[in-house]
Amino acid sequence: MTARILIIEDEVTIAQLERDYFELNGYTVDLCHTGDEGLRLALSGEYNLVIVDLQLPGANGFELCHQIRQRKEVPILIVSAKNEEIDKIRAFNLGADDYVTKPFSPSELVARAKAHLTRYERLLGKRPPAQKNEIHIRGLVIDQAARRVFVRSREVAITTREFDLLEFLANHPNRVFSKQELFERIWGLDSNGDIATVTVHVRKLREKIEADPSNPQYIETVWGAGYRFSV
């Protein structure tokens, strides 16, 4: 099946150049020139790869990257004239797979896209069908039998206690647990223990599974009450 690519780029000449090179290599391409329309298409359509410019009318590329990554397992390539390191770091933290600065070589862009498409196909192909012992939530996969965690098809290394905490919260979605409750359930200790370890483990988990640990989408803090796993 021919891979389908969505290009979200407000500079028409650049968008058409990208489309021409991808079509010459056998891909099906859709073009969009605004952030709002691009987000709608990316979330509603079945694309194998999305290319996003950062400076778009409407929703900007950072917001698109964040929203797409929350809901789709698809390679996201940023193509932008913004070449500051802070912009690249922010894009990667929001879930981008690659970052290409303008001006760019169209042939190199196609080559990078092919590499990401191949990697995603390989990773998704190796993943077995969802089983009852797996939890799937917005790009996060918790394999309870193998005690493995995947974020957007990439396995992350977590400790035994981190896995126990994540698994427990994910198995009780949208319910708030106090630090004391979590400490007693996961560590099996009474109220004399140091519940500060719960805060430490939550922080470490967020660093490993959240696109933006300062704005968590999975393990949320409910101020004055505890933590909640949001679905």
Side-chain angles (χ1 to χ4, degrees):
M1 183 181 296
T2 302
R4 189 178 174 202
I5 296 173
L6 174 64
I7 297 174
I8 309 172
E9 168 63 66
D10 65 323
E11 295 186 54
V12 176
T13 302
I14 292 179
Q16 292 175 341
L17 175 65
E18 293 174 352
R19 179 192 60 193
D20 291 345
Y21 268 80
F22 278 107
E23 288 183 344
L24 284 172
N25 283 272
Y27 296 101
T28 299
V29 181
D30 290 340
L31 296 184
C32 182
H33 306 299
T34 68
D36 294 335
E37 179 67 7
L39 180 59
R40 185 189 69 79
L41 288 173
L43 297 182
S44 62
E46 293 299 324
Y47 293 100
N48 302 100
L49 183 139
V50 179
I51 296 175
V52 182
D53 183 24
L54 291 181
Q55 296 172 299
L56 295 164
N60 65 43
F62 291 119
E63 179 64 19
L64 264 66
C65 187
H66 176 67
Q67 292 292 335
I68 296 169
R69 179 55 69 224
Q70 289 296 306
R71 306 184 197 181
K72 295 280 189 174
E73 290 191 3
V74 58
I76 301 174
L77 275 65
I78 300 296
V79 178
S80 175
K82 297 170 72 69
N83 59 6
E84 297 294 327
E85 184 176 5
I86 187 64
D87 295 314
K88 297 178 182 180
I89 291 173
R90 183 181 179 191
F92 285 126
N93 284 340
L94 291 174
D97 292 276
D98 208 343
Y99 194 111
V100 178
T101 56
K102 300 176 182 177
F104 60 90
S105 162
S107 297
E108 179 185 352
L109 180 64
V110 172
R112 291 195 185 199
K114 285 182 177 179
H116 287 290
L117 284 166
T118 300
R119 183 172 64 83
Y120 264 73
E121 289 171 1
R122 183 173 65 250
L123 289 172
L124 294 176
K126 287 183 177 179
R127 181 183 299 171
Q131 303 294 326
K132 291 183 178 179
N133 61 0
E134 288 185 354
I135 300 172
H136 291 247
I137 303 174
R138 300 191 308 276
L140 173 68
V141 179
I142 305 170
D143 186 337
Q144 299 179 94
R147 295 180 66 84
R148 302 171 70 186
V149 176
F150 300 84
V151 179
R152 298 185 294 276
S153 302
R154 300 173 183 146
E155 185 172 5
V156 296
I158 63 175
T159 67
T160 298
R161 289 300 190 196
E162 288 169 356
F163 184 91
D164 292 341
L165 178 59
L166 178 61
E167 180 185 36
F168 176 78
L169 288 170
N171 275 309
H172 300 83
N174 299 320
R175 177 178 168 184
V176 179
F177 291 91
S178 69
K179 295 177 185 178
Q180 184 65 50
E181 288 179 302
L182 291 172
F183 188 71
E184 293 174 358
R185 290 173 181 261
I186 305 304
W187 281 263
L189 302 175
D190 59 26
S191 58
N192 294 323
D194 184 5
I195 64 172
T197 190
V198 176
T199 303
V200 173
H201 279 71
V202 167
R203 176 177 56 79
K204 290 182 177 179
L205 272 175
R206 284 173 172 166
E207 291 173 352
K208 295 176 180 180
I209 69 173
E210 301 281 0
D212 180 5
S214 64
N215 183 30
Q217 303 299 307
Y218 297 115
I219 305 177
E220 299 178 340
T221 297
V222 181
W223 296 108
Y227 299 104
R228 171 179 59 211
F229 192 93
S230 178
V231 300

Short mmCIF file of all heavy atoms in Angstrom, two decimals, residues 89-137:
data_model
loop_
_atom_site.label_atom_id
_atom_site.label_comp_id
_atom_site.label_asym_id
_atom_site.label_seq_id
_atom_site.Cartn_x
_atom_site.Cartn_y
_atom_site.Cartn_z
N ILE A 89 14.64 21.68 20.60
CA ILE A 89 14.40 20.95 21.86
C ILE A 89 12.91 20.91 22.17
O ILE A 89 12.36 19.88 22.56
CB ILE A 89 15.19 21.60 23.01
CG1 ILE A 89 16.69 21.38 22.80
CG2 ILE A 89 14.75 21.04 24.36
CD1 ILE A 89 17.55 22.14 23.79
N ARG A 90 12.26 22.05 22.00
CA ARG A 90 10.82 22.11 22.28
C ARG A 90 10.05 21.18 21.36
O ARG A 90 9.13 20.47 21.81
CB ARG A 90 10.32 23.55 22.11
CG ARG A 90 8.84 23.72 22.47
CD ARG A 90 8.37 25.14 22.26
NE ARG A 90 6.97 25.27 22.58
CZ ARG A 90 6.23 26.34 22.29
NH1 ARG A 90 6.79 27.38 21.70
NH2 ARG A 90 4.95 26.36 22.60
N ALA A 91 10.40 21.17 20.09
CA ALA A 91 9.71 20.30 19.13
C ALA A 91 9.88 18.83 19.49
O ALA A 91 8.92 18.05 19.47
CB ALA A 91 10.22 20.56 17.71
N PHE A 92 11.10 18.44 19.83
CA PHE A 92 11.34 17.04 20.20
C PHE A 92 10.60 16.68 21.49
O PHE A 92 10.06 15.57 21.63
CB PHE A 92 12.83 16.77 20.34
CG PHE A 92 13.55 16.68 19.02
CD1 PHE A 92 14.66 17.47 18.75
CD2 PHE A 92 13.13 15.80 18.04
CE1 PHE A 92 15.32 17.40 17.54
CE2 PHE A 92 13.78 15.72 16.81
CZ PHE A 92 14.88 16.52 16.57
N ASN A 93 10.56 17.60 22.44
CA ASN A 93 9.84 17.34 23.69
C ASN A 93 8.35 17.18 23.47
O ASN A 93 7.67 16.49 24.23
CB ASN A 93 10.09 18.47 24.69
CG ASN A 93 11.45 18.40 25.33
OD1 ASN A 93 12.09 17.34 25.34
ND2 ASN A 93 11.92 19.51 25.87
N LEU A 94 7.84 17.81 22.42
CA LEU A 94 6.41 17.71 22.11
C LEU A 94 6.09 16.51 21.23
O LEU A 94 4.93 16.28 20.90
CB LEU A 94 5.94 19.00 21.43
CG LEU A 94 5.90 20.24 22.32
CD1 LEU A 94 5.57 21.48 21.51
CD2 LEU A 94 4.89 20.05 23.45
N GLY A 95 7.12 15.73 20.85
CA GLY A 95 6.87 14.49 20.14
C GLY A 95 7.32 14.42 18.70
O GLY A 95 7.04 13.43 18.01
N ALA A 96 8.04 15.44 18.21
CA ALA A 96 8.54 15.38 16.83
C ALA A 96 9.59 14.27 16.70
O ALA A 96 10.35 14.01 17.63
CB ALA A 96 9.15 16.71 16.43
N ASP A 97 9.63 13.64 15.54
CA ASP A 97 10.61 12.59 15.29
C ASP A 97 11.86 13.12 14.61
O ASP A 97 12.93 12.52 14.71
CB ASP A 97 10.00 11.50 14.40
CG ASP A 97 8.90 10.73 15.11
OD1 ASP A 97 9.23 9.79 15.84
OD2 ASP A 97 7.72 11.09 14.94
N ASP A 98 11.74 14.25 13.91
CA ASP A 98 12.89 14.81 13.20
C ASP A 98 12.65 16.30 12.99
O ASP A 98 11.51 16.79 13.09
CB ASP A 98 13.08 14.11 11.85
CG ASP A 98 14.53 14.12 11.38
OD1 ASP A 98 15.31 14.93 11.90
OD2 ASP A 98 14.86 13.33 10.47
N TYR A 99 13.75 17.02 12.72
CA TYR A 99 13.68 18.48 12.55
C TYR A 99 14.61 18.86 11.41
O TYR A 99 15.82 18.64 11.49
CB TYR A 99 14.11 19.16 13.85
CG TYR A 99 13.76 20.63 13.96
CD1 TYR A 99 12.80 21.07 14.86
CD2 TYR A 99 14.42 21.58 13.19
CE1 TYR A 99 12.49 22.42 14.99
CE2 TYR A 99 14.11 22.93 13.31
CZ TYR A 99 13.15 23.34 14.21
OH TYR A 99 12.84 24.68 14.33
N VAL A 100 14.06 19.44 10.36
CA VAL A 100 14.83 19.85 9.19
C VAL A 100 14.70 21.37 9.05
O VAL A 100 13.58 21.91 9.08
CB VAL A 100 14.30 19.16 7.91
CG1 VAL A 100 15.09 19.64 6.70
CG2 VAL A 100 14.38 17.65 8.04
N THR A 101 15.83 22.05 8.91
CA THR A 101 15.80 23.51 8.81
C THR A 101 15.82 23.96 7.35
O THR A 101 16.45 23.34 6.50
CB THR A 101 16.99 24.14 9.55
OG1 THR A 101 18.21 23.60 9.05
CG2 THR A 101 16.90 23.88 11.05
N LYS A 102 15.10 25.04 7.09
CA LYS A 102 15.10 25.66 5.76
C LYS A 102 16.31 26.58 5.62
O LYS A 102 16.69 27.23 6.60
CB LYS A 102 13.82 26.48 5.56
CG LYS A 102 12.53 25.69 5.67
CD LYS A 102 11.34 26.64 5.55
CE LYS A 102 10.03 25.90 5.71
NZ LYS A 102 8.85 26.81 5.66
N PRO A 103 16.92 26.67 4.43
CA PRO A 103 16.61 25.89 3.23
C PRO A 103 17.08 24.45 3.39
O PRO A 103 18.04 24.17 4.10
CB PRO A 103 17.39 26.62 2.13
CG PRO A 103 18.54 27.24 2.86
CD PRO A 103 18.01 27.63 4.21
N PHE A 104 16.42 23.54 2.70
CA PHE A 104 16.74 22.12 2.86
C PHE A 104 16.84 21.47 1.48
O PHE A 104 16.39 21.99 0.47
CB PHE A 104 15.66 21.42 3.68
CG PHE A 104 14.29 21.51 3.06
CD1 PHE A 104 13.84 20.54 2.17
CD2 PHE A 104 13.44 22.57 3.35
CE1 PHE A 104 12.59 20.62 1.59
CE2 PHE A 104 12.18 22.67 2.77
CZ PHE A 104 11.75 21.68 1.89
N SER A 105 17.44 20.29 1.49
CA SER A 105 17.51 19.48 0.28
C SER A 105 16.26 18.62 0.20
O SER A 105 16.02 17.80 1.09
CB SER A 105 18.76 18.60 0.30
OG SER A 105 18.64 17.54 -0.63
N PRO A 106 15.44 18.76 -0.86
CA PRO A 106 14.24 17.92 -0.98
C PRO A 106 14.57 16.43 -0.96
O PRO A 106 13.82 15.63 -0.40
CB PRO A 106 13.64 18.35 -2.32
CG PRO A 106 14.13 19.75 -2.52
CD PRO A 106 15.52 19.75 -1.95
N SER A 107 15.69 16.07 -1.58
CA SER A 107 16.08 14.66 -1.60
C SER A 107 16.40 14.16 -0.20
O SER A 107 16.05 13.02 0.17
CB SER A 107 17.29 14.46 -2.51
OG SER A 107 16.99 14.79 -3.85
N GLU A 108 17.05 15.00 0.61
CA GLU A 108 17.35 14.61 1.99
C GLU A 108 16.06 14.48 2.79
O GLU A 108 15.93 13.56 3.61
CB GLU A 108 18.26 15.64 2.65
CG GLU A 108 18.59 15.28 4.10
CD GLU A 108 19.40 16.34 4.81
OE1 GLU A 108 19.86 17.29 4.15
OE2 GLU A 108 19.57 16.22 6.04
N LEU A 109 15.10 15.37 2.56
CA LEU A 109 13.83 15.30 3.27
C LEU A 109 13.12 13.98 2.96
O LEU A 109 12.60 13.31 3.86
CB LEU A 109 12.94 16.48 2.88
CG LEU A 109 11.56 16.51 3.54
CD1 LEU A 109 11.68 16.68 5.04
CD2 LEU A 109 10.71 17.63 2.94
N VAL A 110 13.11 13.60 1.69
CA VAL A 110 12.48 12.34 1.30
C VAL A 110 13.20 11.16 1.95
O VAL A 110 12.57 10.23 2.44
CB VAL A 110 12.47 12.18 -0.24
CG1 VAL A 110 12.01 10.78 -0.63
CG2 VAL A 110 11.57 13.24 -0.87
N ALA A 111 14.53 11.22 1.97
CA ALA A 111 15.31 10.13 2.57
C ALA A 111 15.01 10.00 4.06
O ALA A 111 14.87 8.89 4.58
CB ALA A 111 16.81 10.38 2.35
N ARG A 112 14.93 11.13 4.74
CA ARG A 112 14.61 11.09 6.18
C ARG A 112 13.20 10.53 6.40
O ARG A 112 12.98 9.76 7.32
CB ARG A 112 14.73 12.49 6.78
CG ARG A 112 16.15 13.02 6.86
CD ARG A 112 16.20 14.22 7.78
NE ARG A 112 17.52 14.85 7.81
CZ ARG A 112 17.92 15.65 8.77
NH1 ARG A 112 17.12 15.93 9.79
NH2 ARG A 112 19.12 16.19 8.73
N ALA A 113 12.28 10.98 5.57
CA ALA A 113 10.91 10.48 5.70
C ALA A 113 10.85 8.97 5.49
O ALA A 113 10.17 8.25 6.25
CB ALA A 113 10.00 11.19 4.69
N LYS A 114 11.56 8.47 4.49
CA LYS A 114 11.59 7.02 4.25
C LYS A 114 12.13 6.27 5.46
O LYS A 114 11.59 5.22 5.84
CB LYS A 114 12.47 6.72 3.03
CG LYS A 114 11.84 7.05 1.69
CD LYS A 114 12.78 6.66 0.56
CE LYS A 114 12.16 6.92 -0.80
NZ LYS A 114 13.07 6.56 -1.92
N ALA A 115 13.18 6.82 6.07
CA ALA A 115 13.78 6.16 7.23
C ALA A 115 12.78 6.09 8.39
O ALA A 115 12.67 5.05 9.06
CB ALA A 115 15.04 6.91 7.66
N HIS A 116 12.06 7.17 8.62
CA HIS A 116 11.08 7.16 9.72
C HIS A 116 9.90 6.25 9.42
O HIS A 116 9.39 5.57 10.31
CB HIS A 116 10.61 8.58 10.01
CG HIS A 116 11.65 9.43 10.69
ND1 HIS A 116 12.05 9.22 11.99
CD2 HIS A 116 12.39 10.47 10.24
CE1 HIS A 116 12.98 10.11 12.32
NE2 HIS A 116 13.20 10.88 11.27
N LEU A 117 9.45 6.24 8.17
CA LEU A 117 8.36 5.35 7.80
C LEU A 117 8.76 3.89 8.01
O LEU A 117 7.98 3.09 8.54
CB LEU A 117 7.97 5.58 6.34
CG LEU A 117 7.15 6.84 6.06
CD1 LEU A 117 7.14 7.13 4.56
CD2 LEU A 117 5.73 6.67 6.58
N THR A 118 9.97 3.56 7.60
CA THR A 118 10.46 2.18 7.77
C THR A 118 10.55 1.80 9.24
O THR A 118 10.16 0.70 9.64
CB THR A 118 11.84 2.03 7.11
OG1 THR A 118 11.73 2.32 5.71
CG2 THR A 118 12.38 0.62 7.30
N ARG A 119 11.05 2.74 10.06
CA ARG A 119 11.19 2.45 11.50
C ARG A 119 9.84 2.24 12.15
O ARG A 119 9.65 1.31 12.92
CB ARG A 119 11.94 3.59 12.18
CG ARG A 119 12.20 3.34 13.66
CD ARG A 119 13.10 4.42 14.23
NE ARG A 119 12.47 5.72 14.19
CZ ARG A 119 11.61 6.16 15.12
NH1 ARG A 119 11.29 5.39 16.14
NH2 ARG A 119 11.08 7.36 15.03
N TYR A 120 8.88 3.10 11.84
CA TYR A 120 7.54 2.96 12.43
C TYR A 120 6.88 1.66 11.98
O TYR A 120 6.24 0.97 12.78
CB TYR A 120 6.67 4.16 12.05
CG TYR A 120 6.66 5.24 13.10
CD1 TYR A 120 7.77 6.05 13.31
CD2 TYR A 120 5.53 5.47 13.89
CE1 TYR A 120 7.77 7.06 14.26
CE2 TYR A 120 5.52 6.47 14.85
CZ TYR A 120 6.63 7.26 15.03
OH TYR A 120 6.63 8.25 15.98
N GLU A 121 7.02 1.33 10.72
CA GLU A 121 6.43 0.09 10.22
C GLU A 121 7.03 -1.12 10.92
O GLU A 121 6.32 -2.07 11.27
CB GLU A 121 6.63 -0.02 8.71
CG GLU A 121 5.80 0.97 7.91
CD GLU A 121 6.19 1.00 6.44
OE1 GLU A 121 7.11 0.24 6.07
OE2 GLU A 121 5.60 1.78 5.67
N ARG A 122 8.34 -1.07 11.13
CA ARG A 122 9.01 -2.19 11.80
C ARG A 122 8.55 -2.31 13.25
O ARG A 122 8.24 -3.40 13.73
CB ARG A 122 10.52 -1.99 11.74
CG ARG A 122 11.31 -3.15 12.37
CD ARG A 122 12.80 -2.99 12.15
NE ARG A 122 13.31 -1.82 12.86
CZ ARG A 122 13.74 -0.72 12.27
NH1 ARG A 122 13.70 -0.61 10.96
NH2 ARG A 122 14.20 0.30 12.98
N LEU A 123 8.48 -1.17 13.95
CA LEU A 123 8.07 -1.20 15.35
C LEU A 123 6.62 -1.64 15.51
O LEU A 123 6.30 -2.46 16.36
CB LEU A 123 8.27 0.18 15.98
CG LEU A 123 9.72 0.61 16.20
CD1 LEU A 123 9.77 2.07 16.64
CD2 LEU A 123 10.39 -0.27 17.25
N LEU A 124 5.74 -1.09 14.69
CA LEU A 124 4.34 -1.45 14.80
C LEU A 124 4.09 -2.87 14.32
O LEU A 124 3.21 -3.56 14.83
CB LEU A 124 3.49 -0.47 13.98
CG LEU A 124 3.48 0.97 14.50
CD1 LEU A 124 2.69 1.87 13.55
CD2 LEU A 124 2.89 1.04 15.90
N GLY A 125 4.90 -3.32 13.35
CA GLY A 125 4.74 -4.68 12.86
C GLY A 125 5.14 -5.71 13.89
O GLY A 125 4.59 -6.81 13.95
N LYS A 126 6.11 -5.36 14.72
CA LYS A 126 6.58 -6.30 15.75
C LYS A 126 5.64 -6.35 16.95
O LYS A 126 5.67 -7.29 17.73
CB LYS A 126 7.98 -5.91 16.23
CG LYS A 126 9.08 -6.19 15.23
CD LYS A 126 10.44 -5.83 15.80
CE LYS A 126 11.56 -6.19 14.83
NZ LYS A 126 12.89 -5.82 15.38
N ARG A 127 4.81 -5.32 17.09
CA ARG A 127 3.94 -5.28 18.26
C ARG A 127 2.79 -6.25 18.06
O ARG A 127 2.08 -6.20 17.07
CB ARG A 127 3.37 -3.88 18.45
CG ARG A 127 2.48 -3.75 19.66
CD ARG A 127 1.88 -2.37 19.76
NE ARG A 127 2.91 -1.38 19.90
CZ ARG A 127 2.66 -0.09 19.84
NH1 ARG A 127 1.44 0.35 19.61
NH2 ARG A 127 3.64 0.79 19.99
N PRO A 128 2.56 -7.15 18.98
CA PRO A 128 1.44 -8.09 18.85
C PRO A 128 0.11 -7.37 19.03
O PRO A 128 0.06 -6.26 19.57
CB PRO A 128 1.68 -9.07 20.00
CG PRO A 128 2.45 -8.28 21.00
CD PRO A 128 3.31 -7.34 20.22
N PRO A 129 -0.98 -7.99 18.59
CA PRO A 129 -2.29 -7.39 18.80
C PRO A 129 -2.53 -7.14 20.29
O PRO A 129 -2.00 -7.84 21.15
CB PRO A 129 -3.26 -8.45 18.26
CG PRO A 129 -2.44 -9.27 17.32
CD PRO A 129 -1.06 -9.29 17.90
N ALA A 130 -3.34 -6.14 20.56
CA ALA A 130 -3.61 -5.80 21.96
C ALA A 130 -4.20 -6.98 22.71
O ALA A 130 -5.13 -7.64 22.25
CB ALA A 130 -4.56 -4.61 22.01
N GLN A 131 -3.67 -7.26 23.84
CA GLN A 131 -4.14 -8.34 24.69
C GLN A 131 -4.78 -7.75 25.95
O GLN A 131 -4.62 -6.58 26.26
CB GLN A 131 -2.96 -9.25 25.08
CG GLN A 131 -2.22 -9.83 23.88
CD GLN A 131 -3.07 -10.78 23.07
OE1 GLN A 131 -3.91 -11.49 23.62
NE2 GLN A 131 -2.88 -10.78 21.76
N LYS A 132 -5.47 -8.58 26.68
CA LYS A 132 -6.11 -8.11 27.90
C LYS A 132 -5.10 -7.65 28.92
O LYS A 132 -5.42 -6.87 29.81
CB LYS A 132 -6.99 -9.22 28.47
CG LYS A 132 -8.22 -9.53 27.62
CD LYS A 132 -9.09 -10.58 28.27
CE LYS A 132 -10.34 -10.87 27.44
NZ LYS A 132 -11.20 -11.89 28.05
N ASN A 133 -3.87 -8.18 28.83
CA ASN A 133 -2.86 -7.78 29.81
C ASN A 133 -2.06 -6.57 29.35
O ASN A 133 -1.03 -6.25 29.93
CB ASN A 133 -1.92 -8.94 30.12
CG ASN A 133 -1.15 -9.41 28.90
OD1 ASN A 133 -1.31 -8.87 27.81
ND2 ASN A 133 -0.32 -10.41 29.07
N GLU A 134 -2.55 -5.89 28.31
CA GLU A 134 -1.92 -4.66 27.86
C GLU A 134 -2.88 -3.49 28.04
O GLU A 134 -4.08 -3.61 27.78
CB GLU A 134 -1.51 -4.75 26.39
CG GLU A 134 -0.32 -5.66 26.14
CD GLU A 134 0.13 -5.61 24.69
OE1 GLU A 134 -0.56 -4.97 23.86
OE2 GLU A 134 1.17 -6.21 24.39
N ILE A 135 -2.32 -2.37 28.47
CA ILE A 135 -3.10 -1.14 28.60
C ILE A 135 -2.63 -0.18 27.52
O ILE A 135 -1.44 0.12 27.43
CB ILE A 135 -2.91 -0.52 29.99
CG1 ILE A 135 -3.36 -1.50 31.08
CG2 ILE A 135 -3.67 0.80 30.11
CD1 ILE A 135 -3.04 -1.04 32.49
N HIS A 136 -3.54 0.30 26.68
CA HIS A 136 -3.23 1.22 25.59
C HIS A 136 -3.96 2.53 25.83
O HIS A 136 -5.20 2.57 25.85
CB HIS A 136 -3.68 0.64 24.23
CG HIS A 136 -2.89 -0.55 23.79
ND1 HIS A 136 -2.05 -0.52 22.70
CD2 HIS A 136 -2.79 -1.80 24.30
CE1 HIS A 136 -1.49 -1.71 22.55
NE2 HIS A 136 -1.93 -2.50 23.50
N ILE A 137 -3.20 3.61 26.01
CA ILE A 137 -3.81 4.92 26.23
C ILE A 137 -2.99 5.98 25.52
O ILE A 137 -1.85 6.28 25.92
CB ILE A 137 -3.89 5.25 27.73
CG1 ILE A 137 -4.69 4.17 28.49
CG2 ILE A 137 -4.53 6.63 27.95
CD1 ILE A 137 -4.69 4.34 29.98
#
